[in-house]
Amino acid sequence: MSRVLGLDDARALAAAVLAAHGTSEVNARATAAALVAAEADGLASHGLSRLPAYADQARAGKVDGHATPVVDRPKPGAVRVDAATGFAFPALDAGLPVLESATRALGVAGMAIANSHHFGVAGHPVERLARAGLVGLAFANSPAAIAPWGGARPLFGTNPVAMACPRGAGADPLVVDMSLSKVARGKVMVAARKGEAIPDDWALDAGGRPTTDPAAALKGSMLPMGDAKGAALVLAVEILATAFTGAAFGFEASSFFDAEGPPPRVGQLVLAIAPDAFGTEGVVDRVETLLAAMGEEPDVRVPGARRFAARRHAEAEGIAIPDDLADELARRAA
């Protein structure tokens, strides 16, 4: 069974939970908004189901709920944000306006976020840039879940990558957003809870062997999409999100799912490009030409369309969350 909450009520509930567990009002609002936005877009794995773990980590000090992000400009086209072991969303809120301003002045700019936490939906910050008329790209690392190709020890996270581009005529932006594991680790966790087998091309056990046992998979590693090519892309994202930000590598980072250990200190890199940065005219029009050609195919969907449809429905009808989760959040907010 599930319970329907309006978006304002959901944001207020999530903020109250975080505030009750040692998070400042401004950080609680920013984090609650991000989690509810994920729910509204139909991305529940990054939504309110994360809130109990977030709250426990804030109470334990694994994430600093009172952190104040520090923004500086080491180079004209470079924005650096120290999340100060707080939640990622206040750091994004602090840095994105500075990144946008730098991009408008210079054509191309980048933002490095260090000492950070779970990035949430990678498509959301780049969508914000696209709605401001800029092209955005985002790269993030996460705690280790994927082994190098041919290996058994997880070193890399599932490392999301996202890109968003503005469109013409008031259309929603094009948003490409994906993690780099073949399937979400959450699917393996669900199978483990249900006692169900998984396909043998989802994950490896601790010895590096394909497994259909979800419990063995959770002790081993996820397989990357695209096999060896995907593993190379995971490595590329790991480097972009950590070496350039000063963050912890995936194998050095603690879990996002419990309150044990030190702060994860992961990193994110966001790049922004003005459509006219290279002197090319009609960039958005050219994008529309390509998307129109895609639309002539009967079964082709423009990336991002499904989440925008879900968002409009949620804005009108609210979001449905499981009763047990709703009850837990109400208890935690009290």
Side-chain angles (χ1 to χ4, degrees):
M1 298 291 290
S2 61
R3 195 170 311 171
V4 176
L5 296 176
L7 298 187
D8 287 343
D9 289 342
R11 284 187 285 263
L13 174 61
V17 169
L18 290 165
H21 289 73
T23 303
S24 70
E25 181 180 353
V26 64
N27 289 348
R29 285 200 310 267
T31 304
L35 295 178
V36 174
E39 290 281 351
D41 284 5
L43 304 169
S45 63
H46 286 50
L48 294 174
S49 65
R50 297 266 182 171
L51 190 52
Y54 277 23
D56 288 344
Q57 290 174 42
R59 173 167 284 173
K62 183 173 180 175
V63 60
D64 184 353
H66 291 271
T68 299
V70 177
V71 182
D72 65 72
R73 296 279 296 277
K75 301 282 186 181
V79 180
R80 178 174 173 82
V81 183
D82 184 350
T85 72
F87 290 109
F89 310 110
L92 285 164
D93 287 347
L96 280 171
V98 183
L99 175 62
E100 181 183 337
S101 177
T103 307
R104 295 198 187 285
L106 300 168
V108 180
M111 175 175 68
I113 303 178
N115 296 316
S116 193
H117 193 259
H118 181 236
F119 195 42
V121 177
H124 283 166
V126 292
E127 180 192 337
R128 285 162 67 173
L129 292 170
R131 291 192 182 277
L134 305 173
V135 176
L137 298 98
F139 309 91
N141 81 316
S142 54
I146 295 177
W149 192 249
R153 177 191 174 197
L155 295 181
F156 316 127
T158 54
N159 291 13
V161 57
M163 176 267 195
C165 183
R167 296 185 58 188
D172 288 317
L174 167 69
V175 179
V176 177
D177 180 358
M178 69 191 81
S179 65
L180 298 180
S181 55
K182 188 167 289 187
V183 299
R185 198 164 188 261
K187 290 187 176 182
V188 179
M189 298 170 80
V190 169
R193 286 196 298 268
K194 293 181 176 180
E196 298 174 349
I198 60 173
D200 65 3
D201 63 348
W202 281 13
L204 306 175
D205 65 16
R209 297 174 294 268
T211 182
T212 60
D213 180 354
L218 292 172
K219 295 177 181 177
S221 62
M222 301 297 297
L223 281 166
M225 67 177 196
D227 297 330
K229 292 181 180 180
L233 183 56
V234 171
L235 171 61
V237 173
E238 187 81 18
I239 290 170
L240 289 169
T242 59
F244 285 95
T245 65
F249 292 121
F251 70 90
E252 299 171 326
S254 59
S255 174
F256 289 154
F257 292 103
D258 60 46
E260 304 300 320
R265 298 183 184 273
V266 293
Q268 295 98 29
L269 183 69
V270 182
L271 306 179
I273 307 170
D276 62 354
F278 302 104
T280 304
E281 297 182 359
V283 170
V284 172
D285 291 340
R286 291 295 291 156
V287 172
E288 287 299 322
T289 298
L290 177 59
L291 298 182
M294 291 172 58
E296 293 173 1
E297 297 295 314
D299 297 321
V300 171
R301 173 177 55 85
V302 172
R306 183 178 296 168
R307 72 174 57 184
F308 293 131
R311 186 183 304 177
R312 285 188 282 271
H313 181 269
E315 289 168 349
E317 305 294 336
I319 54 175
I321 62 174
D323 280 338
D324 58 348
L325 177 59
D327 290 340
E328 179 180 1
L329 297 183
R331 288 194 303 270
R332 285 174 172 267

